[in-house]
Amino acid sequence: MYDPKTGKALEISLDFPDGLPPKAEFEPGIRRAPNRGQVLNEKETVLALKNALRYIPEKYHKEIAPEFLEEYRTRGRIYGYRFRPKGHLYGKPIDEYKGRCTEGKAIQVMIDNNLDFEVALYPYELVTYGETGQVCQNWMQYLLIKKYLEILTEDQTLVVQSGHPLGLFRSHPSAPRVILTNGLMVGMFDNPKDFTRAAALGVANYGQMTAGGWMYIGPQGIVHGTYNTLLNAGRKKFHLPEGKGLAGHLFVSSGLGGMSGAQPKAAEIAGAAAIIAEVDPSRIDTRYNQGWVSKRTRDMEEAFRWAHEAMEAGKPLSIAYEGNIVDLLEYAIDKNINIELLSDQTSCHAVYDGGYCPHGITFEERTRLLAEDKEQFCKLVDKTLRKHFELIKTLVSRGTYFFDYGNSFMRAVFDAGVTEIAKNGKDTYEGFIFPSYVEDIMGPLLFDYGYGPFRWCCLSRNPEDLRKTDRAAMDCIDPTRRFQDHDNWVWIRDAEKNKLVVGTQCRILYQDEEGRMKIALKFNEMVRTGEIGPVMIGRDHHDVSGTDSPFRETSNIKDGSNVMAEMAIHCFAGNCARGMSMVALHNGGGVGTSKAINGGFGLVLDGSQRIDNIIRSSMSWDVISGVARRAWARNENALSTVAEFNQKRSDGHITVPFIADEEYLTKLVSGK
């Protein structure tokens, strides 16, 4: 490649003209990923080393190879710690980044925000959240991606495959600046065992949903979804009127990591008393110091006493219980304590990789077993899952409303040998005996209408820009249109007061197709007039159209197509065609390898008319394509949304199904 301005050749590689950087130093108090275990034989270990050394000039191989081998033998992965930039990475103001186009600089902001010590779960291992969700595989990839983004022009596209920057390719200003994929395995190899081998070899990256797509905005991203879920679970369970929160009601769950850390904050915003169990004290420290959990204790009696005092006073309160959820539920059953709402948000998509801690051992013992006796660790996990299920069953029989929060918990229980958790008692085709939160709540009440986790980041890092966008977004919502609009209007009204920002200045707001387009166009106008700096909009991949996941996002699609991955792939392809700045497609997400395909996007608002045009063509597609799929599955609320779309719009039309009489067909097939 040559520089068109100078005519000189550009060599894009990690050349280290001043010699290799010094060996890594690790700041105390920063969480580290556990040893992932050694799954490669000697020949495969050689291959993993060769793969990692591809980023390093040959003259340094003999110095670096032993270091990489030590990383593999002690961490189970090659991270290239030496090549991590020193100090605290964070999403700096966009003007502090080098770049030839706004998009190239904007994407650097997002990458560094995902690796911020305050945001990332295991920042030294490039894990943003979800136990295994990485920005890329190693620090050599990070450096090379940054180099490419610094020279990226509006006539080029950077292609990234499982963290590896394949290179820059000629395109045009309306094409994506970055297209990236993570962990897309060929069918027969698309399973956790083969994925783990590929990750150890350095050819597969687990992007989670927004980590590998560089659009994670901290746990705020899931606070809003959890708030919506709890509020609507309360309406379902307690028949709460619209506008009334969960004051006087109890929610119990587990997990205070990257995503699950949203639970106490969301519960308080919804008005509930909440107890969240967590085995890792460092995660409790993080949430407590952020103010996202109000009290902490190791005493179960104290936790429930605090909760009941708050319930009697009608006040919200979040409590972190340092210990295993199994102990907490056992105590509640023994003491006949009424748990009204119950869930789980441990990382069960990575249940055998440290995402779920066995009962009866400490967190430190869990970490040791992971590294030294994986077989015993897995046996203990299965035993705990079985016990956890029995406790939930008992509580449900007493009136508790339990819902799976999309973390693959019920699938993990099934895989642990409990076929009883399947509706038909033998396989998972018909789902589980307990509802997924999407199946019961988010799907029919939000996704089927097109409401999902729209989000934006003010790239200036200026809190005043975020305040202005909050006010502008609130002005775009009519709170009288639907109850969803009222909930979301209240959410954005109180967003700053609730202190949701972790990392750079970002916000999430559930909106439908109409709302997202209005807000995006308003923001771009504000950038154009100089009222605010550039903004990057996107969404969680956990949305209306971005993800095919039979146990979560598409669990309320009942026509059998919930096992198909075509919606997510069409959404990805359509966003590429319509010119989103960055488009991503991943395997796995929050439910684990081979259990979902999910995709997302980022669009940089630079104030131009070009971006207005992209908003008009892409924002509608990104939402309504998923509503169309849900309507074809005969989902009642999606059918009404599609009917409204077909009536109001002159630029498109969605196919509507004819509805067969199920009772007649059942009699016909049975012969009765």
Side-chain angles (χ1 to χ4, degrees):
M1 178 179 172
Y2 73 94
D3 186 337
K5 291 183 179 178
T6 65
K8 293 181 180 179
L10 280 174
E11 184 61 38
I12 311 301
S13 64
L14 304 183
D15 49 7
F16 309 112
D18 300 322
L20 290 172
K23 286 190 175 182
E25 295 180 1
F26 302 97
E27 290 191 24
I30 303 297
R31 272 187 303 269
R32 300 291 305 283
N35 183 342
R36 302 297 186 189
Q38 290 68 49
V39 299
L40 305 178
N41 60 35
E42 283 192 12
K43 189 173 181 180
E44 290 170 329
T45 302
V46 170
L47 181 56
L49 291 169
K50 286 173 65 179
N51 289 344
L53 289 167
R54 287 183 286 195
Y55 297 100
I56 310 297
E58 289 92 338
K59 63 183 177 180
Y60 298 120
H61 283 191
K62 287 189 178 177
E63 181 177 352
I64 291 296
E67 199 171 302
F68 282 176
L69 179 60
E70 178 66 12
E71 286 182 16
Y72 172 69
R73 286 177 172 168
T74 58
R75 315 301 301 186
R77 297 284 189 276
I78 296 172
Y79 295 112
Y81 291 121
R82 178 195 287 260
F83 302 103
R84 180 189 181 276
K86 303 306 173 200
H88 179 195
L89 294 177
Y90 65 97
K92 299 185 290 291
I94 187 171
D95 291 340
E96 295 184 23
Y97 288 89
K98 297 177 186 175
R100 295 179 176 178
C101 64
T102 303
E103 292 96 329
K105 293 191 286 185
I107 293 166
Q108 292 180 69
V109 175
M110 301 309 298
I111 291 172
D112 285 350
N113 185 58
N114 277 224
L115 294 169
D116 190 330
F117 283 159
E118 294 183 9
V119 174
L121 177 61
Y122 302 131
Y124 284 112
E125 289 77 32
L126 302 107
V127 175
T128 302
Y129 71 95
E131 194 61 35
T132 53
Q134 292 180 255
V135 165
C136 50
Q137 297 177 63
N138 57 58
W139 290 103
M140 297 82 77
Q141 290 179 344
Y142 168 88
L143 292 178
L144 201 50
I145 289 167
K146 291 292 288 285
K147 277 198 167 194
Y148 276 124
L149 291 172
E150 287 174 0
I151 65 166
L152 177 73
T153 73
E154 63 179 15
D155 293 308
Q156 295 170 322
T157 294
L158 172 62
V159 177
V160 181
Q161 296 178 350
S162 272
H164 169 64
L166 198 66
L168 293 180
F169 298 88
R170 182 176 177 177
S171 58
H172 53 83
S174 292
R177 296 283 69 80
V178 175
I179 294 176
L180 59 91
T181 57
N182 281 292
L184 299 180
M185 311 284 286
V186 173
M188 67 182 289
F189 300 102
D190 193 6
N191 58 74
K193 182 179 178 182
D194 281 312
F195 181 88
T196 300
R197 175 181 175 274
L201 285 172
V203 296
N205 187 55
Y206 197 78
Q208 250 289 350
M209 301 194 89
T210 48
W214 309 336
M215 287 297 293
Y216 185 65
I217 64 168
Q220 176 188 178
I222 198 65
V223 174
H224 196 5
T226 308
Y227 158 82
N228 271 320
T229 301
L230 289 176
L231 212 50
N232 287 298
R235 288 167 181 158
K236 185 180 177 72
K237 169 77 175 174
F238 313 122
H239 308 292
L240 300 176
E242 289 175 23
K244 190 174 188 313
L246 293 175
H249 297 289
L250 177 63
F251 169 61
V252 172
S253 188
S254 51
L256 285 172
M259 297 286 278
S260 54
Q263 294 182 105
K265 187 74 171 175
E268 284 201 352
I269 294 171
I275 303 174
I276 314 297
E278 172 56 63
V279 293
D280 179 358
S282 76
R283 301 185 198 200
I284 296 176
D285 290 343
T286 298
R287 301 303 165 216
Y288 186 74
N289 293 335
Q290 284 173 343
W292 282 39
V293 64
S294 297
K295 290 193 173 190
R296 57 186 301 176
T297 182
R298 295 178 181 176
D299 185 323
M300 289 180 280
E301 187 277 331
E302 186 172 52
F304 281 110
R305 175 166 51 80
W306 285 342
H308 283 104
E309 287 170 358
M311 291 162 66
E312 286 173 7
K315 292 182 178 179
L317 179 66
S318 59
I319 302 154
Y321 164 65
E322 187 182 327
N324 200 294
I325 183 65
V326 167
D327 288 322
L328 193 69
L329 298 186
E330 212 163 25
Y331 179 88
I333 289 168
D334 290 346
K335 301 295 182 181
N336 204 28
I337 295 170
N338 179 28
I339 295 176
E340 296 170 297
L341 300 175
L342 176 64
S343 192
D344 180 84
Q345 248 199 88
T346 50
S347 294
C348 285
H349 70 281
V351 70
Y352 302 118
D353 294 313
Y356 182 87
C357 184
H359 178 241
I361 64 172
T362 63
F363 183 71
E364 291 72 25
E365 179 68 2
R366 157 265 195 195
T367 304
R368 186 192 68 77
L369 281 174
L370 262 175
E372 298 175 12
D373 194 347
K374 189 73 175 282
E375 185 178 348
Q376 175 63 11
F377 175 80
C378 294
K379 287 179 181 176
L380 291 175
V381 165
D382 285 348
K383 181 180 178 183
T384 305
L385 285 166
R386 292 192 289 267
K387 184 168 187 177
H388 196 164
F389 168 72
E390 291 298 330
L391 295 170
I392 291 169
K393 230 177 28 165
T394 299
L395 287 165
V396 168
S397 72
R398 295 181 180 182
T400 295
Y401 175 51
F402 172 80
F403 54 92
D404 181 307
Y405 202 88
N407 60 336
S408 212
F409 172 75
M410 290 194 290
R411 176 70 202 210
V413 170
F414 180 85
D415 290 342
V418 185
T419 55
E420 179 191 348
I421 201 169
K423 269 185 185 173
N424 61 16
K426 59 180 181 179
D427 58 46
T428 61
Y429 285 121
E430 296 175 36
F432 301 100
I433 60 174
F434 303 129
S436 153
Y437 76 119
V438 173
E439 187 177 11
D440 227 24
I441 301 166
M442 297 287 281
L445 297 179
L446 291 157
F447 289 171
D448 286 354
Y449 287 100
Y451 289 91
F454 175 66
R455 54 175 64 169
W456 65 91
C457 290
C458 296
L459 299 168
S460 64
R461 203 179 170 92
N462 183 349
E464 187 56 35
D465 279 7
L466 188 60
R467 288 189 195 101
K468 289 176 180 177
T469 57
D470 281 350
R471 290 195 292 269
M474 189 166 67
D475 289 344
C476 289
I477 300 171
D478 175 5
T480 66
R481 179 172 166 241
R482 291 189 185 123
F483 79 83
Q484 295 95 333
D485 293 295
H486 181 267
D487 289 347
N488 293 316
W489 186 85
V490 170
W491 166 270
I492 197 67
R493 181 196 67 190
D494 297 340
E496 184 176 9
K497 180 182 75 176
N498 287 322
K499 297 179 181 177
L500 297 165
V501 172
V502 178
T504 200
Q505 298 294 309
C506 299
R507 183 69 75 221
I508 186 169
L509 171 63
Y510 270 57
Q511 280 295 283
D512 66 350
E513 174 223 5
E514 182 180 311
R516 296 187 211 197
M517 194 181 305
K518 267 188 192 175
I519 293 169
L521 287 168
K522 179 60 179 176
F523 288 177
N524 200 43
E525 179 190 330
M526 293 166 74
V527 176
R528 185 159 49 242
T529 60
E531 189 176 348
I532 57 174
V535 171
M536 192 160 186
I537 64 171
R539 57 165 169 76
D540 196 336
H541 303 193
H542 161 59
D543 198 3
V544 179
S545 60
T547 297
D548 287 299
S549 177
F551 306 124
R552 195 161 85 175
E553 283 78 7
T554 48
S555 59
N556 74 317
I557 289 180
K558 302 294 190 181
D559 66 347
S561 69
N562 60 332
V563 302
M564 306 301 291
E566 291 166 327
M567 178 176 70
I569 293 168
H570 284 167
C571 187
F572 168 80
N575 284 339
C576 284
R578 288 165 175 80
M580 294 292 201
S581 304
M582 181 172 67
V583 188
L585 189 69
H586 310 314
N587 180 2
V591 293
T593 300
S594 76
K595 298 183 180 73
I597 297 293
N598 68 84
F601 75 86
L603 179 63
V604 179
L605 308 185
D606 61 9
S608 67
Q609 186 60 51
R610 176 179 70 85
I611 294 298
D612 275 355
N613 294 337
I614 292 173
I615 290 168
R616 290 190 177 97
S617 67
S618 63
M619 294 301 287
S620 175
W621 159 258
D622 186 68
V623 176
I624 211 69
S625 60
V627 178
R629 161 93 176 283
R630 295 166 189 279
W632 190 242
R634 299 178 290 268
N635 291 8
E636 184 179 348
N637 294 333
L639 283 167
S640 65
T641 306
V642 160
E644 185 180 347
F645 177 91
N646 284 346
Q647 185 176 22
K648 290 169 64 175
R649 302 292 284 269
S650 62
D651 57 349
H653 186 274
I654 296 168
T655 308
V656 179
F658 294 106
I659 310 298
D661 184 335
E662 186 174 353
E663 186 178 347
Y664 162 73
L665 294 175
T666 302
K667 289 178 180 178
L668 178 67
V669 171
S670 67
K672 294 179 181 177

Short mmCIF file of all heavy atoms in Angstrom, two decimals, residues 300-332:
data_model
loop_
_atom_site.label_atom_id
_atom_site.label_comp_id
_atom_site.label_asym_id
_atom_site.label_seq_id
_atom_site.Cartn_x
_atom_site.Cartn_y
_atom_site.Cartn_z
N MET A 300 -26.82 -13.80 55.72
CA MET A 300 -28.09 -13.96 55.02
C MET A 300 -29.26 -13.40 55.82
O MET A 300 -30.17 -12.77 55.25
CB MET A 300 -28.33 -15.45 54.70
CG MET A 300 -27.40 -15.97 53.63
SD MET A 300 -27.66 -17.71 53.23
CE MET A 300 -26.78 -18.52 54.56
N GLU A 301 -29.24 -13.60 57.13
CA GLU A 301 -30.31 -13.07 57.97
C GLU A 301 -30.36 -11.54 57.86
O GLU A 301 -31.44 -10.94 57.73
CB GLU A 301 -30.10 -13.50 59.42
CG GLU A 301 -31.25 -13.14 60.36
CD GLU A 301 -31.19 -11.71 60.88
OE1 GLU A 301 -30.07 -11.16 61.01
OE2 GLU A 301 -32.28 -11.12 61.12
N GLU A 302 -29.18 -10.92 57.87
CA GLU A 302 -29.11 -9.46 57.76
C GLU A 302 -29.62 -8.99 56.40
O GLU A 302 -30.35 -8.00 56.30
CB GLU A 302 -27.67 -9.01 57.97
CG GLU A 302 -27.51 -7.49 58.02
CD GLU A 302 -26.10 -7.10 58.43
OE1 GLU A 302 -25.13 -7.60 57.81
OE2 GLU A 302 -25.97 -6.28 59.36
N ALA A 303 -29.25 -9.70 55.35
CA ALA A 303 -29.67 -9.32 53.99
C ALA A 303 -31.19 -9.31 53.89
O ALA A 303 -31.79 -8.34 53.39
CB ALA A 303 -29.07 -10.28 52.96
N PHE A 304 -31.84 -10.36 54.36
CA PHE A 304 -33.30 -10.42 54.26
C PHE A 304 -33.98 -9.43 55.22
O PHE A 304 -35.03 -8.87 54.90
CB PHE A 304 -33.80 -11.85 54.51
CG PHE A 304 -33.65 -12.75 53.32
CD1 PHE A 304 -32.72 -13.78 53.31
CD2 PHE A 304 -34.45 -12.56 52.19
CE1 PHE A 304 -32.58 -14.62 52.20
CE2 PHE A 304 -34.32 -13.40 51.08
CZ PHE A 304 -33.38 -14.42 51.08
N ARG A 305 -33.35 -9.18 56.36
CA ARG A 305 -33.92 -8.19 57.30
C ARG A 305 -33.90 -6.80 56.67
O ARG A 305 -34.91 -6.08 56.70
CB ARG A 305 -33.16 -8.21 58.63
CG ARG A 305 -33.62 -7.14 59.61
CD ARG A 305 -33.10 -7.38 61.02
NE ARG A 305 -31.67 -7.61 61.05
CZ ARG A 305 -30.74 -6.65 60.99
NH1 ARG A 305 -31.12 -5.38 60.89
NH2 ARG A 305 -29.46 -6.93 61.05
N TRP A 306 -32.77 -6.43 56.08
CA TRP A 306 -32.67 -5.13 55.40
C TRP A 306 -33.72 -5.02 54.30
O TRP A 306 -34.37 -4.00 54.13
CB TRP A 306 -31.28 -4.95 54.79
CG TRP A 306 -30.19 -4.64 55.77
CD1 TRP A 306 -30.33 -4.18 57.05
CD2 TRP A 306 -28.79 -4.76 55.53
NE1 TRP A 306 -29.10 -4.01 57.62
CE2 TRP A 306 -28.13 -4.35 56.71
CE3 TRP A 306 -28.02 -5.18 54.45
CZ2 TRP A 306 -26.74 -4.33 56.82
CZ3 TRP A 306 -26.64 -5.16 54.54
CH2 TRP A 306 -26.00 -4.75 55.72
N ALA A 307 -33.86 -6.10 53.53
CA ALA A 307 -34.80 -6.09 52.41
C ALA A 307 -36.23 -5.89 52.90
O ALA A 307 -36.99 -5.09 52.34
CB ALA A 307 -34.69 -7.38 51.61
N HIS A 308 -36.60 -6.60 53.96
CA HIS A 308 -37.98 -6.49 54.46
C HIS A 308 -38.25 -5.13 55.11
O HIS A 308 -39.36 -4.61 55.02
CB HIS A 308 -38.29 -7.65 55.40
CG HIS A 308 -38.56 -8.92 54.67
ND1 HIS A 308 -37.64 -9.95 54.59
CD2 HIS A 308 -39.62 -9.32 53.92
CE1 HIS A 308 -38.13 -10.93 53.85
NE2 HIS A 308 -39.33 -10.58 53.42
N GLU A 309 -37.25 -4.54 55.73
CA GLU A 309 -37.41 -3.19 56.27
C GLU A 309 -37.68 -2.20 55.14
O GLU A 309 -38.54 -1.32 55.25
CB GLU A 309 -36.16 -2.78 57.06
CG GLU A 309 -36.04 -3.48 58.40
CD GLU A 309 -34.68 -3.24 59.07
OE1 GLU A 309 -33.82 -2.55 58.45
OE2 GLU A 309 -34.47 -3.75 60.19
N ALA A 310 -36.94 -2.36 54.03
CA ALA A 310 -37.15 -1.48 52.87
C ALA A 310 -38.53 -1.70 52.27
O ALA A 310 -39.22 -0.74 51.88
CB ALA A 310 -36.06 -1.73 51.83
N MET A 311 -38.95 -2.97 52.19
CA MET A 311 -40.27 -3.27 51.63
C MET A 311 -41.38 -2.64 52.47
O MET A 311 -42.32 -2.05 51.93
CB MET A 311 -40.46 -4.78 51.53
CG MET A 311 -39.57 -5.45 50.48
SD MET A 311 -39.43 -7.24 50.72
CE MET A 311 -41.11 -7.77 50.39
N GLU A 312 -41.26 -2.75 53.78
CA GLU A 312 -42.28 -2.19 54.66
C GLU A 312 -42.35 -0.67 54.55
O GLU A 312 -43.42 -0.06 54.65
CB GLU A 312 -42.00 -2.60 56.11
CG GLU A 312 -42.32 -4.06 56.38
CD GLU A 312 -41.88 -4.52 57.77
OE1 GLU A 312 -41.44 -3.64 58.56
OE2 GLU A 312 -41.97 -5.72 58.05
N ALA A 313 -41.17 -0.05 54.31
CA ALA A 313 -41.12 1.40 54.17
C ALA A 313 -41.47 1.85 52.75
O ALA A 313 -41.60 3.06 52.50
CB ALA A 313 -39.73 1.91 54.54
N GLY A 314 -41.62 0.89 51.84
CA GLY A 314 -41.91 1.22 50.45
C GLY A 314 -40.76 1.91 49.75
O GLY A 314 -40.97 2.69 48.80
N LYS A 315 -39.54 1.62 50.20
CA LYS A 315 -38.36 2.29 49.63
C LYS A 315 -37.51 1.29 48.84
O LYS A 315 -37.41 0.12 49.20
CB LYS A 315 -37.51 2.90 50.76
CG LYS A 315 -38.19 4.06 51.46
CD LYS A 315 -37.29 4.65 52.54
CE LYS A 315 -37.95 5.84 53.21
NZ LYS A 315 -37.09 6.40 54.29
N PRO A 316 -36.85 1.76 47.77
CA PRO A 316 -35.96 0.87 47.01
C PRO A 316 -34.67 0.64 47.79
O PRO A 316 -34.18 1.52 48.50
CB PRO A 316 -35.68 1.66 45.72
CG PRO A 316 -35.89 3.09 46.08
CD PRO A 316 -36.95 3.10 47.15
N LEU A 317 -34.13 -0.57 47.65
CA LEU A 317 -32.86 -0.89 48.30
C LEU A 317 -32.21 -2.07 47.59
O LEU A 317 -32.87 -3.09 47.35
CB LEU A 317 -33.07 -1.25 49.78
CG LEU A 317 -31.80 -1.62 50.55
CD1 LEU A 317 -30.87 -0.43 50.69
CD2 LEU A 317 -32.13 -2.21 51.93
N SER A 318 -30.92 -1.94 47.28
CA SER A 318 -30.19 -3.06 46.69
C SER A 318 -29.13 -3.54 47.66
O SER A 318 -28.41 -2.74 48.26
CB SER A 318 -29.55 -2.64 45.36
OG SER A 318 -28.67 -1.55 45.55
N ILE A 319 -29.04 -4.86 47.78
CA ILE A 319 -28.15 -5.50 48.75
C ILE A 319 -27.31 -6.54 48.04
O ILE A 319 -27.86 -7.39 47.31
CB ILE A 319 -28.95 -6.18 49.88
CG1 ILE A 319 -29.85 -5.15 50.59
CG2 ILE A 319 -28.03 -6.89 50.87
CD1 ILE A 319 -31.07 -5.77 51.24
N ALA A 320 -26.01 -6.48 48.23
CA ALA A 320 -25.12 -7.53 47.71
C ALA A 320 -24.86 -8.53 48.83
O ALA A 320 -24.37 -8.15 49.90
CB ALA A 320 -23.81 -6.93 47.22
N TYR A 321 -25.21 -9.79 48.58
CA TYR A 321 -24.88 -10.86 49.52
C TYR A 321 -23.63 -11.56 49.01
O TYR A 321 -23.62 -12.11 47.90
CB TYR A 321 -26.03 -11.86 49.65
CG TYR A 321 -25.59 -13.15 50.30
CD1 TYR A 321 -25.16 -13.17 51.62
CD2 TYR A 321 -25.57 -14.35 49.57
CE1 TYR A 321 -24.72 -14.35 52.22
CE2 TYR A 321 -25.13 -15.53 50.16
CZ TYR A 321 -24.71 -15.53 51.48
OH TYR A 321 -24.26 -16.69 52.05
N GLU A 322 -22.57 -11.52 49.80
CA GLU A 322 -21.32 -12.17 49.41
C GLU A 322 -21.40 -13.66 49.75
O GLU A 322 -21.19 -14.07 50.89
CB GLU A 322 -20.11 -11.53 50.10
CG GLU A 322 -18.79 -12.09 49.58
CD GLU A 322 -17.58 -11.51 50.28
OE1 GLU A 322 -17.62 -10.32 50.68
OE2 GLU A 322 -16.57 -12.25 50.43
N GLY A 323 -21.72 -14.45 48.74
CA GLY A 323 -21.86 -15.88 48.94
C GLY A 323 -22.59 -16.49 47.76
O GLY A 323 -22.93 -15.82 46.78
N ASN A 324 -22.83 -17.78 47.86
CA ASN A 324 -23.42 -18.51 46.75
C ASN A 324 -24.95 -18.39 46.78
O ASN A 324 -25.57 -18.49 47.83
CB ASN A 324 -23.00 -19.98 46.82
CG ASN A 324 -23.16 -20.69 45.49
OD1 ASN A 324 -24.28 -20.87 45.01
ND2 ASN A 324 -22.05 -21.11 44.90
N ILE A 325 -25.55 -18.22 45.62
CA ILE A 325 -27.00 -18.11 45.49
C ILE A 325 -27.70 -19.35 46.03
O ILE A 325 -28.81 -19.26 46.58
CB ILE A 325 -27.41 -17.84 44.02
CG1 ILE A 325 -28.92 -17.64 43.87
CG2 ILE A 325 -26.93 -18.96 43.10
CD1 ILE A 325 -29.46 -16.42 44.55
N VAL A 326 -27.07 -20.50 45.94
CA VAL A 326 -27.68 -21.74 46.43
C VAL A 326 -27.90 -21.65 47.94
O VAL A 326 -28.96 -22.02 48.46
CB VAL A 326 -26.80 -22.96 46.06
CG1 VAL A 326 -27.23 -24.20 46.84
CG2 VAL A 326 -26.89 -23.22 44.56
N ASP A 327 -26.91 -21.12 48.66
CA ASP A 327 -27.07 -20.94 50.11
C ASP A 327 -28.19 -19.97 50.42
O ASP A 327 -28.99 -20.19 51.33
CB ASP A 327 -25.76 -20.42 50.72
CG ASP A 327 -24.67 -21.47 50.76
OD1 ASP A 327 -24.99 -22.65 51.02
OD2 ASP A 327 -23.50 -21.13 50.52
N LEU A 328 -28.26 -18.89 49.64
CA LEU A 328 -29.27 -17.86 49.87
C LEU A 328 -30.69 -18.43 49.66
O LEU A 328 -31.59 -18.19 50.47
CB LEU A 328 -29.03 -16.68 48.93
CG LEU A 328 -29.80 -15.40 49.24
CD1 LEU A 328 -29.29 -14.75 50.53
CD2 LEU A 328 -29.67 -14.40 48.09
N LEU A 329 -30.88 -19.19 48.61
CA LEU A 329 -32.20 -19.76 48.33
C LEU A 329 -32.57 -20.83 49.34
O LEU A 329 -33.74 -20.95 49.76
CB LEU A 329 -32.24 -20.32 46.91
CG LEU A 329 -32.01 -19.32 45.77
CD1 LEU A 329 -32.22 -19.98 44.42
CD2 LEU A 329 -32.91 -18.10 45.90
N GLU A 330 -31.58 -21.62 49.75
CA GLU A 330 -31.82 -22.65 50.77
C GLU A 330 -32.27 -22.01 52.08
O GLU A 330 -33.21 -22.49 52.75
CB GLU A 330 -30.53 -23.45 50.98
CG GLU A 330 -30.76 -24.89 51.33
CD GLU A 330 -29.49 -25.73 51.14
OE1 GLU A 330 -28.37 -25.19 51.19
OE2 GLU A 330 -29.65 -26.94 50.93
N TYR A 331 -31.62 -20.92 52.43
CA TYR A 331 -31.98 -20.18 53.65
C TYR A 331 -33.41 -19.66 53.55
O TYR A 331 -34.21 -19.77 54.50
CB TYR A 331 -31.00 -19.02 53.85
CG TYR A 331 -31.27 -18.18 55.07
CD1 TYR A 331 -30.72 -18.51 56.31
CD2 TYR A 331 -32.06 -17.03 54.99
CE1 TYR A 331 -30.96 -17.72 57.44
CE2 TYR A 331 -32.31 -16.24 56.11
CZ TYR A 331 -31.75 -16.60 57.33
OH TYR A 331 -32.00 -15.83 58.45
N ALA A 332 -33.78 -19.09 52.40
CA ALA A 332 -35.13 -18.56 52.22
C ALA A 332 -36.18 -19.65 52.36
O ALA A 332 -37.24 -19.43 52.96
CB ALA A 332 -35.24 -17.89 50.85
#
